[in-house]
Amino acid sequence: MAKMIMTVDDSASVRQMVAFTLKQNGYDVVEAVDGKDALAKLAGTRVDMVITDLNMPNLDGIGLIRGVRANPSYRFTPIIMLTTESQDGKKAEGKAAGATGWIVKPFKPEQLVAVVKKVLG
Amino acid sequence: MSHSFLSMFRRKAEPKIPAGSEAFEVLSGDPLAMRFNGWSDRLGAFGERLVALNGSTEDEFLAIGARLHDFYARAGAVERMSQDVAERIMGEDISRDMAALREILDRIAGYLAHAEQESEQSTATLTRILDLVSHVDEPLDGFKKIIKNLHMLSTAVKIESARLGEGAAGFNTLADDVERLSISIREKSADILREKGSLAAMIEATLARVTALEAEQRSNARLILDRTRESLATLTTVHGRCSAAAGSVAACSSEIAASIATVVTSLQFHDITRQQIEHVKEALDDMRGLLAASAVAPDLAAGEVADVCELQEAQLDHAREELVAAVARVVENLRDIARKETLMSDETRVMAGSADQAGSSLFADMESGMVQVAEVLSESARANRELAGAMAAVVSSVGDIATFVTDIEEIGSEIELIALNSQVKAANTGEGGAALGVLAEAIQHLSVEARSRTGAVSEMLRKVTAVTESLCHEGDRESHALAAEIEGLIGELKGLLGTVRGMNETLLELLGRMDGEVQGLSVDIEAATGGVSVHNATNRIVGEVMGELCDLVREIRRVAPASTSPEREARLRELAERYTMHSERKVHASVFGGAAGGAQAFVPAAAAAGLGDNVELF
């Protein structure tokens, strides 16, 4: 059974490219438009990994990570930040919140797939 | 989206931007401040245009992204078809056909050697028969003298019998017998000569056909072996072609994958430049706030607005360049996919040995060659049957001659009987029949000579019969063996032909589908890329805003020249540290030099080494 990965981004074109890349490599993908939407969908869907943007309306990436980690079922679920943000401070904040890794946009498909394979084992 | 960016340029103590000219009532007495209202309105208009631009560009990116799924799937289908062609060409069927064709080649070579040997033997046998038949004339010539002597003896016996009168009445019968014998010998000799002439003519004609057949067989042998070897060489080269073409196809596939990866990366630049433009808009809004709140030091506020506008002009230029370059990469790489797909299709055709779409292919040529070989073998079988028929006619004709041997031998016996009878009658006649005794003795001598002559003729005819019988037996045996061999070869060739034809049809069908898919994909990619205009709109609108920002900066600089102060430097440094994107920090640094502050590059941790310099795993 294919692993389910959630892509969270307020940019439809980024979600589209993440979904395209992952689906071509055999993963199932669920999309969420922001952190709030992601948490709602996580409640009803079994997700093996989350790839999220940082800056989003309603609930940003850091808030999303905190929300996900608060759920015992997702305590060890890999969460990768995919953002244009490259400041060390933000990275440290993400890491402290429970992020597994950080990718600065734009990503190359092979990079994303390599990261997914690495963190999903 | 960078919502934290909204506060990047905003001072905590600053009020919200009031609407209209009421915001600048407190500055109405200052000539410089009198301009703030107009500048603020212009900044507001620039921002609105940028917002409108940001809201209008994503649909085109999404449309291309949606088509990318389709293009990727179709490119994959073409690649699978190419692999299918390669697998079929390099599969077990071809290996089996190669082995079968090699075996057929060996058997054809064996058959041709056999047929040539058979032809040479037939020629030798026919030549021997012809030689023997030509020597039949010599002993038959000797019969002429015997016939003449018998006739003379018959006449002499009749004269002597008449002279003796009643006492030699039985000699008249003897004379008649001798006369009848001479006539019989003449007739038989004539029959044998006629039959011999007919046989010689038949043998000469058959020899000519054998010789012609031999020449034809040699010519066909060359053709058959050449064509079969060509077919075998064709099959042998298929593997070489496949290996080379498969390498090119694999290279095409890798390049297509790289192009798709570039498109995926480039399409993300919509989000990146959208954020950059959004940041510019927010910075411009912040400047409107600054203008509205700078009652105490309007000249400093104006100078800072000019500085920040100059910076935003550079940020816009950078965003514009990134987006235009990204769209160019998207278009170029999508078109490159179409080109690579065409190249892949061409390489696959090379792999299948099919240079065009008219049904011509390596296997079609091979099929044609094998059809020709089968036809020539069939022709060879027909010629062999014809030769066997000609041989049978020779054997039959020799059989007719053999019946004359018996007749000739009967003549020898009959003349001996006549000679004996004449001697007995001469003895019974007494002294008066002395002359008849002489004649009887002459007949006796003649019978000895006739016996010798008939022996020679019958010996000659027996030799002809014996040689012909051996020809008959060998011919039958060889003819049947050759016929069976040819039938077997033709059958196997037809079986092989069916396989090759099936392979050819399958390949042509696959190549046809592949061509159709590639052409359709090229058309769709051209349609998808031909309609892309987002970069033009962005280029135009951003260019216009940049131009107007430039005008505004010049206007402000005329009334509020650039100045530096520790406060300004601190604010710019703070500005640089608030950027989210490294590229924004670089632009800032390029405009304000050392004021950029935190323009360091993103440095990933060692753990993510190998994943790229924009990746870090914690």
Side-chain angles (χ1 to χ4, degrees):
Chain A
M1 190 175 166
K3 299 273 188 185
M4 176 68 77
I5 300 175
M6 174 178 274
T7 172
V8 190
D9 203 303
D10 59 328
S11 164
S13 57
V14 171
R15 290 199 309 273
Q16 187 185 50
M17 289 303 101
V18 171
F20 171 77
T21 302
L22 296 178
K23 284 178 181 173
Q24 302 310 330
N25 286 276
Y27 297 101
D28 288 335
V29 179
V30 57
E31 298 184 24
V33 298
D34 56 34
K36 190 177 171 187
D37 186 32
L39 287 176
K41 285 178 175 166
L42 280 171
T45 313
R46 177 65 218 172
V47 168
D48 299 295
M49 179 179 176
V50 176
I51 299 171
T52 180
D53 189 14
L54 176 61
N55 301 307
M56 295 180 290
N58 298 318
L59 182 64
D60 69 8
I62 301 295
L64 171 61
I65 294 172
R66 289 185 182 127
V68 171
R69 292 297 181 225
N71 184 338
S73 302
Y74 289 111
R75 186 165 296 163
F76 302 107
T77 301
I79 303 175
I80 297 292
M81 300 295 300
L82 175 62
T83 173
T84 54
E85 185 74 64
S86 62
Q87 283 182 303
D88 286 340
K90 283 291 180 186
K91 273 200 293 178
E93 197 180 340
K95 186 177 178 181
T100 313
W102 197 278
I103 302 175
V104 176
K105 292 176 184 173
F107 69 85
K108 293 176 185 169
E110 64 272 20
Q111 282 182 321
L112 186 65
V113 173
V115 168
V116 168
K117 284 181 178 169
K118 198 171 179 71
V119 300
L120 281 180
Chain B
M1 185 189 298
S2 177
H3 291 270
S4 62
F5 208 88
L6 285 166
S7 58
M8 181 184 288
F9 299 102
R10 196 165 289 149
R11 297 179 180 89
K12 285 179 184 174
E14 287 172 356
K16 290 181 73 176
I17 306 166
S21 59
E22 61 183 298
F24 304 100
E25 279 176 7
V26 292
L27 305 174
S28 58
D30 187 302
L32 178 60
M34 291 287 286
R35 300 169 184 263
F36 281 15
N37 187 28
W39 293 345
S40 180
D41 287 348
R42 285 161 70 181
L43 290 173
F46 300 158
E48 291 308 313
R49 290 174 69 182
L50 293 174
V51 167
L53 174 66
N54 258 355
S56 67
T57 51
E58 190 165 34
D59 284 350
E60 276 197 31
F61 277 80
L62 287 172
I64 293 172
R67 296 308 305 270
L68 193 62
H69 285 274
D70 177 43
F71 296 156
Y72 180 85
R74 288 161 69 182
V78 171
E79 189 181 343
R80 283 191 293 281
M81 279 190 262
S82 176
Q83 286 167 350
D84 192 7
V85 169
E87 281 167 12
R88 283 174 190 278
I89 293 174
M90 297 178 85
E92 286 180 6
D93 286 354
I94 295 291
S95 299
R96 193 183 58 233
D97 290 349
M98 280 179 71
L101 199 57
R102 276 200 191 93
E103 193 199 332
I104 287 174
L105 186 65
D106 290 343
R107 289 173 58 196
I108 287 176
Y111 155 71
L112 291 170
H114 193 176
E116 194 175 324
Q117 187 185 14
E118 170 62 12
S119 181
E120 284 172 359
Q121 278 180 359
S122 297
T123 304
T125 305
L126 288 173
T127 307
R128 169 88 178 123
I129 294 172
L130 193 61
D131 182 53
L132 287 172
V133 166
S134 68
H135 286 88
V136 170
D137 289 9
E138 196 178 318
L140 285 177
D141 276 349
F143 279 121
K144 288 179 183 170
K145 186 183 169 190
I146 292 172
I147 292 165
K148 185 180 172 186
N149 289 343
L150 282 172
H151 181 68
M152 287 172 63
L153 282 171
S154 172
T155 305
V157 168
K158 280 181 182 173
I159 292 167
E160 192 59 26
S161 178
R163 190 181 62 79
L164 289 174
E166 286 296 317
F171 278 93
N172 280 333
T173 308
L174 179 63
D176 289 343
D177 287 346
V178 170
E179 181 62 24
R180 185 175 45 76
L181 186 61
S182 74
I183 292 168
S184 178
I185 291 173
R186 188 166 57 242
E187 286 175 353
K188 295 294 177 191
S189 295
D191 285 348
I192 289 172
L193 280 173
R194 190 171 55 253
E195 198 65 33
K196 171 251 169 188
S198 166
L199 179 61
M202 182 186 287
I203 290 172
E204 278 167 359
T206 306
L207 259 177
R209 284 161 75 179
V210 169
T211 307
L213 180 65
E214 199 171 1
E216 193 182 327
Q217 295 268 32
R218 284 180 199 280
S219 165
N220 285 346
R222 277 194 296 276
L223 181 71
I224 289 169
L225 290 175
D226 286 351
R227 295 297 291 182
T228 315
R229 283 197 182 102
E230 277 171 20
S231 296
L232 190 58
T234 296
L235 280 177
T236 308
T237 58
V238 157
H239 278 73
R241 281 171 184 254
C242 261
S243 298
S248 299
V249 168
C252 282
S253 295
S254 297
E255 288 168 12
I256 289 167
S259 291
I260 286 177
T262 303
V263 172
V264 169
T265 304
S266 302
L267 285 176
Q268 296 168 59
F269 273 88
H270 170 266
D271 182 48
I272 292 167
T273 55
R274 178 181 61 84
Q275 288 185 49
Q276 289 169 347
I277 290 173
E278 204 171 84
H279 296 165
V280 169
K281 196 266 179 191
E282 289 161 2
L284 297 181
D285 282 348
D286 283 344
M287 290 304 97
R288 294 182 71 200
L290 179 63
L291 289 172
S294 298
V296 180
D299 53 338
L300 289 177
E304 189 169 337
V305 167
D307 289 344
V308 171
C309 285
E310 201 173 357
L311 172 63
Q312 299 319 308
E313 190 187 333
Q315 295 285 14
L316 278 177
D317 190 36
H318 172 69
R320 177 180 67 168
E321 281 180 5
E322 282 206 325
L323 187 121
V324 169
V327 171
R329 284 197 301 275
V330 167
V331 170
E332 179 53 33
N333 279 278
L334 285 176
R335 286 178 176 163
D336 203 41
I337 289 170
R339 282 194 291 271
K340 290 291 188 304
E341 291 288 319
T342 303
L343 186 61
M344 189 187 286
S345 178
D346 291 345
E347 286 294 340
T348 307
R349 279 200 171 279
V350 169
M351 186 159 46
S354 174
D356 55 45
Q357 296 176 30
S360 162
S361 80
L362 200 75
F363 291 96
D365 291 346
M366 195 175 144
E367 183 187 332
S368 159
M370 288 167 69
V371 165
Q372 206 172 356
V373 170
E375 282 173 357
V376 172
L377 283 174
S378 294
E379 178 61 24
S380 177
R382 187 197 59 72
N384 279 330
R385 280 195 300 275
E386 196 180 300
L387 181 61
M391 288 298 190
V394 169
V395 170
S396 171
S397 181
V398 170
D400 290 344
I401 289 178
T403 61
F404 296 125
V405 175
T406 310
D407 293 344
I408 292 288
E409 284 173 349
E410 280 175 4
I411 289 169
S413 300
E414 198 173 341
I415 200 169
E416 279 174 3
L417 281 174
I418 289 170
L420 187 63
N421 194 26
S422 64
Q423 282 175 326
V424 170
K425 283 185 177 176
N428 287 338
T429 306
E431 286 189 6
L436 286 172
V438 173
L439 288 172
E441 195 173 336
I443 292 171
Q444 171 62 28
H445 286 146
L446 211 51
S447 78
V448 172
E449 191 181 344
R451 169 59 77 185
S452 168
R453 296 280 176 193
T454 55
V457 170
S458 66
E459 178 59 24
M460 197 65 73
L461 292 178
R462 276 202 182 86
K463 282 181 183 173
V464 170
T465 305
V467 173
T468 308
E469 276 175 356
S470 80
L471 178 73
C472 180
H473 290 141
E474 285 170 16
D476 275 357
R477 208 164 42 243
E478 297 298 337
S479 176
H480 283 109
L482 282 176
E485 179 74 7
I486 292 176
E487 285 304 315
L489 282 170
I490 291 173
E492 287 181 33
L493 266 178
K494 282 183 177 168
L496 195 56
L497 196 60
T499 308
V500 170
R501 187 174 289 147
M503 169 71 80
N504 192 40
E505 285 168 1
T506 303
L507 287 178
L508 289 176
E509 193 266 333
L510 266 172
L511 291 170
R513 270 173 45 209
M514 198 169 164
D515 282 334
E517 189 66 52
V518 167
Q519 282 169 15
L521 185 58
S522 298
V523 167
D524 288 349
I525 284 178
E526 193 51 45
T529 53
V532 174
S533 62
V534 64
H535 56 310
N536 295 330
T538 302
N539 197 32
R540 179 176 56 78
I541 294 170
V542 169
E544 286 169 3
V545 172
M546 283 171 61
E548 291 176 34
L549 271 174
C550 184
D551 291 343
L552 182 61
V553 168
R554 272 201 296 268
E555 191 177 324
I556 295 173
R557 295 280 189 231
R558 276 199 295 272
V559 293
S563 63
T564 59
S565 68
E567 293 79 11
R568 175 184 173 277
E569 295 304 313
R571 278 199 299 275
L572 287 176
R573 197 172 296 111
E574 184 187 354
L575 233 174
E577 286 171 358
R578 285 176 178 172
Y579 288 122
T580 61
M581 295 185 212
H582 180 62
S583 62
E584 290 174 314
R585 284 191 286 272
K586 281 180 71 175
V587 172
H588 186 112
S590 70
V591 175
F592 295 116
Q600 78 279 12
F602 178 83
V603 181
L611 293 174
D613 58 7
N614 60 329
V615 177
E616 182 173 348
L617 294 181
F618 302 135

